[in-house]
Amino acid sequence: MKLSANHKINVGFGSVLALLLAIAWYIHDTNQRFMQLTELQVQGLEALERLTQFLAHVNDAETSQRAFLLTGKQEYLRPYEAARKDIARELTELDRLAAEQPNLKQALARLRPTVNSMLTVLERAIVLRRGNARAGLEMALQSVLTRQGERDMDAIRTAIDDMRYSEQSSISRWMADADEQGGRTHWLVTLVGPIAFVGIVLGWWLAHRHLTQQRVAIRALHTSEERFQLLVDGIQDYAIVMLDANGNVLDWNAASERILGYLAEEAVGKKFSRFYPLELIEAGVPDRMLEDAALGRCEREVWHVRSDGSRFWANVILTPINDEEGKLQGYSKITRDLTERRAADALIRQLNNDLERRVELRTAELARVNAELAQRNQENELFVFGVSHDLRSPLVNLQGFSEELGLACLELRELLTKTGIPPDLGRQGLTILDDEMLVSARFIQTAVLRLNNVIDALLRLSRAGRVEYQWQEVDLTRIVRDVVDSFGATISQKNAVIEVGRLGTVWGDATALELVFANLIDNALKYLAPDRRGRIEIGLATRAEVHNGKIPKICCQVRDNGLGIALDGQNKLFHVFQRLHPEAAPGEGMGLVLTRRIVERHRGRIWVESQPNGGSTFFVDLPTQPHEAPSAADVSDLEKVSAHG
Amino acid sequence: MDNQQPVVILLVEDDPGHASLIRKNLKRGGFLNEVINVSDGQQALDFIGLAGEFAGRTPEGPLLIILDVNLPRIDGVEVLRRIKADARTAKIPVIILTTTDDPREIERCYEFGCSVYVTKPVIYEKFVDAVRRIGMFLQVVTVLREDEIRRD
């Protein structure tokens, strides 16, 4: 069992006290006995003295009597008389001393008849001597001569000697006893004294320490309470109110007056429900909150009303306060004024609603614009498609008939070289034919071919946006190898080298992707630098994995060591009808536009890094996983065609 | 047997220039067959079905149709569809001749049963070759004898 500090101190001091009491009693007892023994010694010594005196008086009496007997003179009898009195006194004194000494008492009892007998003999002789002056002497001498007196005297001396001896033994014994008692007391005082002293000092120190600790604890408690009080009073934004079990206000913090709008004396002792508006009180809201709080804790936001009638929106937390046995003692009510926050919330809600409505409006507008753009895009594409077709019809005639013209020229030539034609006329005719007609026909044919290519490109472009893709996982490596194979003739003609690295698979339309790489490779082959051997590398770019945005992609690159493209040229590269090196190769300037359109329909990206005469690298981001593919008439597609087509 | 009779070529083409060029090239390619030119889809169907202005026509042997796609009234694809949908005319070989190289349209035409699809501007050597092959298949092509070509 663990003892409390107080209990320990009590027990400690109790033990020390008991020990001291025991010691004190023991010392007292010892001392008592010592005193007793000392008293006995004094009595013994007195007895010895008195016995000596007694014997001396007996001798005096006998001597004095003999002197009287011999002289008969009365004056010699005076010492005898005095000795008789002294003997009687000594005997009385001895009796007194013998009261606590049985041995002495017995010895005195035995002595007394002998003394009496001796005194009687002495007295009888004196009487005889006094009664008859002559005969009295004789008779007195006779009586002395009987030796009775002498025998008594001897007996008395012997008895006194015995008694003295006995008394001296007793005194020695008592002295020894007293010494023993004194020794004990001495040891007790010298040994137990310091021990008790140490015990008391130790006890005092422990008690002092304990009390100090208690004092510190009590002071800390006071400080803590003060601090807590300061803390509670220092709280500005919360009204903290203590309620009793019935909901009456017991106490509150300083901020309560301001927040709740009552003076302390107006509120303390009153029901807390007075902080609530009348309609809530009538509806039983405060009582219900108290009931709820009794079950645990009640937090609610309700209207409160101040004494001046103004209202505020309050956050209220009611918490039950139970004693150690779990019995309800009261409640704490913490109130916060949330009016401003409520207003701010309302404002935010309002703003949110407004914003949402505006976003909705804007979204709707965007959707409408998108739809419009998509519509316009489709119209554009249809227009391009229609125009291309309408252009192609006359073009077919131009082409066909220019060829006919050429054939006709050849026939005419044959005619002119035939015999029968005047040589002058024939020569003139041939000059017209060769220099004018055939040359013209050839120009027409070249122009027609070019126009035809343009129309083809426009048609392809208009179709690129409309054709439905077959979305699937595409082995890009295989596709690129096939494309490179299809360029076999051109590659060997240009004496170029094409290397294809591993590209992996992407998600897309195989035909469209084929076209992308066909265009890029075609481009690279077209614009190789004439002064060095062409080298084209196709593979994954170092930044092969791209994850920006939601769609995982790979980045391919087509790198050549050809003519390269100046910076302003790079910007125009992907726009319609841009040809940067018209002298280097024939083309319509539509290939990269188409390529870009396809890549963007794949949710990819295409761009170029190049330096004039330093070769070009085309990068293509392509998705590796299925994604929500844009429809054929997607807005992003639209921009390109409507802006450039 | 019908097989021995020379094939008649029905050219459905609204552009007279195109029609003329086709005729010239067929001739240059060595075809002496009769070429009948109609300029819209309805006429073509009438000719094939012996209806309308061709109600009184007497079929003169196997037919080969060269069909443009962009035609007034009924377009070429529809004409093709109707020819192929009708069991009586389904076996007539049809060469589609058009300015469109739209793969979907080409595919559609082949699905409907066209024999050859040729894109304008025509490379006439290839075109004539295609016509000849179809003719050989039909074994009804009238080929000029060499001396006749020379004479021409």
Side-chain angles (χ1 to χ4, degrees):
Chain A
M1 194 181 83
K2 193 167 164 61
L3 294 172
S4 75
N6 271 331
H7 197 82
K8 270 195 255 186
I9 286 172
N10 289 344
V11 168
F13 271 102
S15 325
V16 171
L17 196 64
L19 185 67
L20 285 176
L21 279 174
I23 291 167
W25 178 81
Y26 186 77
I27 288 173
H28 172 76
D29 184 55
T30 310
N31 205 42
Q32 205 68 23
R33 290 179 63 195
F34 183 81
M35 295 294 282
Q36 234 169 12
L37 287 169
T38 309
E39 185 66 22
L40 282 172
Q41 283 178 57
V42 171
Q43 285 177 6
L45 287 172
E46 195 185 337
L48 275 181
E49 181 60 31
R50 290 204 182 274
L51 284 171
T52 306
Q53 290 293 325
F54 177 76
L55 198 56
H57 292 314
V58 170
N59 277 332
D60 283 352
E62 195 189 16
T63 306
S64 174
Q65 186 245 11
R66 285 210 185 149
F68 176 71
L69 286 182
L70 287 174
T71 62
K73 287 182 179 173
Q74 195 63 34
E75 61 206 71
Y76 289 107
L77 206 55
R78 269 196 302 257
Y80 167 78
E81 296 295 335
R84 288 255 340 211
K85 281 178 195 158
D86 287 338
I87 286 166
R89 196 182 66 240
E90 292 301 332
L91 274 177
T92 311
E93 286 298 310
L94 280 170
D95 276 341
R96 178 180 58 82
L97 289 172
E100 291 173 37
Q101 294 184 55
N103 289 347
L104 189 60
K105 208 171 181 170
Q106 282 172 16
L108 278 174
R110 279 196 304 272
L111 182 63
R112 200 171 282 269
T114 313
V115 173
N116 287 337
S117 159
M118 189 204 76
L119 287 176
T120 308
V121 170
L122 288 182
E123 189 65 33
R124 202 168 47 227
I126 289 168
V127 172
L128 284 177
R129 176 74 174 87
R130 200 182 280 152
N132 196 334
R134 252 322 234 315
L137 179 63
E138 271 306 314
M139 275 190 292
L141 289 172
Q142 259 331 118
S143 71
V144 174
L145 288 177
T146 56
R147 302 184 68 89
Q148 180 65 37
E150 206 178 322
R151 282 198 304 273
D152 284 342
M153 198 61 202
D154 284 344
I156 288 168
R157 274 196 196 97
T158 307
I160 293 296
D161 280 348
D162 283 350
M163 283 165 76
R164 281 172 58 98
Y165 179 77
S166 168
E167 200 62 31
Q168 267 173 343
S169 308
S170 288
I171 287 169
S172 299
R173 204 174 64 246
W174 291 331
M175 279 176 73
D177 281 356
D179 275 354
E180 203 188 312
Q181 297 294 339
R184 272 192 213 152
T185 311
H186 173 78
W187 280 113
L188 206 62
V189 169
T190 49
L191 268 181
V192 176
I195 289 172
F197 177 75
V198 167
I200 286 167
V201 168
L202 197 67
W204 174 84
W205 179 72
L206 284 172
H208 176 76
R209 200 182 63 161
H210 173 70
L211 286 174
T212 309
Q213 281 172 352
Q214 250 184 356
R215 211 161 35 239
V216 168
I218 287 165
R219 188 169 303 153
L221 195 65
H222 277 289
T223 316
S224 158
E225 269 174 18
E226 279 165 21
R227 272 201 213 125
F228 186 70
Q229 191 61 42
L230 281 172
L231 180 71
V232 169
D233 272 340
I235 290 171
Q236 289 299 315
D237 295 336
Y238 293 83
I240 300 172
V241 182
M242 299 302 297
L243 305 176
D244 68 12
N246 296 318
N248 296 314
V249 175
L250 292 173
D251 192 10
W252 67 14
N253 69 338
S256 297
E257 290 201 348
R258 183 174 52 76
I259 292 172
L260 297 173
Y262 282 87
L263 294 173
E265 58 265 29
E266 292 175 326
V268 171
K270 307 284 167 51
K271 281 282 274 186
F272 85 109
S273 54
R274 65 167 42 205
F275 305 135
Y276 289 73
L278 198 61
E279 71 270 17
L280 290 185
I281 299 172
E282 282 170 356
V285 171
D287 292 338
R288 209 155 46 241
M289 283 178 72
L290 219 53
E291 284 165 20
D292 288 353
L295 300 174
R297 180 177 182 275
C298 175
E299 176 167 4
R300 208 165 296 169
E301 290 188 7
V302 290
W303 282 110
H304 267 40
V305 64
R306 301 189 185 89
S307 60
D308 63 6
S310 61
R311 291 190 173 210
F312 67 99
W313 183 253
N315 170 282
V316 177
I317 299 169
L318 276 170
T319 314
I321 297 168
N322 297 324
D323 63 11
E324 284 171 1
E325 286 155 14
K327 193 162 170 285
L328 184 71
Q329 295 296 302
Y331 303 88
S332 74
K333 174 178 182 287
I334 301 177
T335 312
R336 195 155 41 125
D337 184 348
L338 293 182
T339 313
E340 278 177 29
R341 205 195 69 185
R342 186 177 154 89
D345 281 354
L347 187 64
I348 286 169
R349 252 196 316 278
Q350 168 84 38
L351 288 174
N352 272 343
N353 287 343
D354 286 358
L355 191 65
E356 263 169 39
R357 205 159 41 245
R358 266 153 63 190
V359 166
E360 271 169 26
L361 282 175
R362 186 56 65 87
T363 309
E365 199 181 316
L366 262 177
R368 191 181 53 74
V369 170
N370 275 350
E372 228 169 64
L373 280 171
Q375 168 89 29
R376 207 179 302 156
N377 187 33
Q378 259 177 337
E379 282 166 10
N380 271 322
E381 289 187 336
L382 283 173
F383 172 75
V384 170
F385 182 74
V387 165
S388 305
H389 270 288
D390 290 349
L391 284 175
R392 185 163 271 186
S393 253
L395 199 66
V396 167
N397 283 332
L398 273 175
Q399 184 234 9
F401 286 106
S402 67
E403 268 177 30
E404 289 301 320
L405 200 61
L407 289 171
C409 284
L410 290 178
E411 281 171 22
L412 191 58
R413 187 171 229 288
E414 224 168 279
L415 275 176
L416 285 172
T417 51
K418 270 187 179 169
T419 49
I421 304 277
D424 261 12
L425 196 64
R427 226 177 3 260
Q428 277 180 11
L430 278 177
T431 307
I432 294 169
L433 194 67
D434 289 345
D435 293 355
E436 305 294 332
M437 293 176 70
L438 275 176
V439 168
S440 300
R442 207 161 292 133
F443 269 115
I444 293 171
Q445 279 170 17
T446 310
V448 163
L449 197 65
R450 171 109 174 75
L451 203 53
N452 187 50
N453 285 340
V454 169
I455 289 167
D456 270 353
L458 280 175
L459 275 172
R460 275 200 301 278
L461 185 61
S462 78
R463 204 182 302 126
R466 291 181 297 127
V467 68
E468 285 298 326
Y469 280 171
Q470 298 296 311
W471 292 102
Q472 59 186 336
E473 202 159 78
V474 177
D475 183 352
L476 209 55
T477 318
R478 193 184 54 75
I479 280 195
V480 171
R481 293 227 163 99
D482 288 351
V483 171
V484 170
D485 284 348
S486 72
F487 278 100
T490 321
I491 294 166
S492 52
Q493 182 203 323
K494 294 239 178 190
N495 194 26
V497 183
I498 300 193
E499 280 178 11
V500 182
R502 204 191 61 81
L503 291 167
T505 57
V506 294
W507 186 254
D509 178 87
T511 315
L513 291 173
E514 221 174 83
L515 197 55
V516 167
F517 283 92
N519 277 339
L520 291 176
I521 293 165
D522 184 49
N523 236 41
L525 283 170
K526 268 183 194 163
Y527 303 113
L528 286 173
D531 59 341
R532 51 181 175 261
R533 190 176 184 191
R535 184 173 184 84
I536 302 166
E537 295 162 12
I538 305 159
L540 288 177
T542 40
R543 51 186 291 276
E545 304 278 332
V546 186
H547 279 279
N548 45 351
K550 283 157 257 167
I551 314 159
K553 293 175 180 170
I554 57 166
C555 181
C556 313
Q557 62 176 18
V558 177
R559 179 200 298 277
D560 65 56
N561 62 344
L563 295 171
I565 309 155
L567 198 61
D568 62 331
Q570 292 176 25
N571 295 333
K572 297 180 192 163
L573 204 56
F574 298 100
H575 293 183
V576 173
F577 296 127
Q578 291 295 331
R579 292 193 65 217
L580 300 167
H581 299 287
E583 69 292 343
E588 301 74 45
M590 297 283 281
L592 286 176
V593 184
L594 192 64
T595 304
R596 175 181 166 182
R597 183 127 166 83
I598 293 170
V599 170
E600 283 175 352
R601 267 194 75 182
H602 278 81
R603 287 283 181 89
R605 216 156 54 89
I606 182 166
W607 71 100
V608 68
E609 285 173 11
S610 181
Q611 279 187 332
N613 207 30
S616 308
T617 306
F618 284 85
F619 295 94
V620 183
D621 269 353
L622 288 169
T624 57
Q625 281 171 22
H627 52 87
E628 202 184 314
S631 69
D634 191 273
V635 185
S636 66
D637 289 345
L638 188 65
E639 290 175 312
K640 286 90 205 180
V641 173
S642 58
H644 308 296
Chain B
M1 275 175 81
D2 281 353
N3 274 359
Q4 295 308 312
Q5 280 188 279
V7 72
V8 173
I9 295 173
L10 174 65
L11 177 59
V12 190
E13 173 62 75
D14 60 327
D15 187 313
H18 291 197
S20 165
L21 285 167
I22 289 161
R23 280 165 176 275
K24 278 175 187 288
N25 279 285
L26 281 174
K27 197 171 170 192
R28 192 175 295 124
F31 292 94
L32 291 177
N33 304 52
E34 185 188 357
V35 176
I36 295 150
N37 188 191
V38 296
S39 58
D40 70 50
Q42 188 56 58
Q43 277 185 320
L45 288 172
D46 286 348
F47 183 89
I48 296 160
L50 306 178
E53 60 183 290
F54 298 103
R57 181 180 73 91
T58 312
E60 292 168 39
L63 201 62
L64 173 73
I65 301 171
I66 297 172
L67 185 62
D68 187 20
V69 169
N70 289 316
L71 289 171
R73 299 212 277 182
I74 297 172
D75 77 14
V77 178
E78 177 60 19
V79 173
L80 172 70
R81 194 189 66 75
R82 292 198 197 170
I83 291 168
K84 294 301 172 182
D86 188 337
R88 289 169 301 169
T89 57
K91 283 185 177 166
I92 300 173
V94 178
I95 295 173
I96 297 286
L97 196 60
T98 182
T99 52
T100 310
D101 57 359
D102 186 334
R104 285 175 304 175
E105 193 173 292
I106 296 171
E107 198 177 324
R108 201 147 57 99
C109 291
Y110 277 117
E111 268 171 23
F112 285 143
C114 90
S115 305
V116 177
Y117 188 100
V118 179
T119 308
K120 299 184 207 175
V122 183
I123 296 163
Y124 288 103
E125 286 83 355
K126 284 187 183 172
F127 169 67
V128 169
D129 210 40
V131 176
R132 184 177 289 120
R133 261 187 281 119
I134 289 167
M136 294 292 267
F137 173 70
L138 294 171
Q139 293 188 331
V140 290
V141 183
T142 306
V143 181
L144 278 178
R145 293 204 308 277
E146 199 175 354
D147 56 335
E148 285 177 319
I149 300 168
R150 289 289 161 106
R151 192 183 59 205
D152 191 58

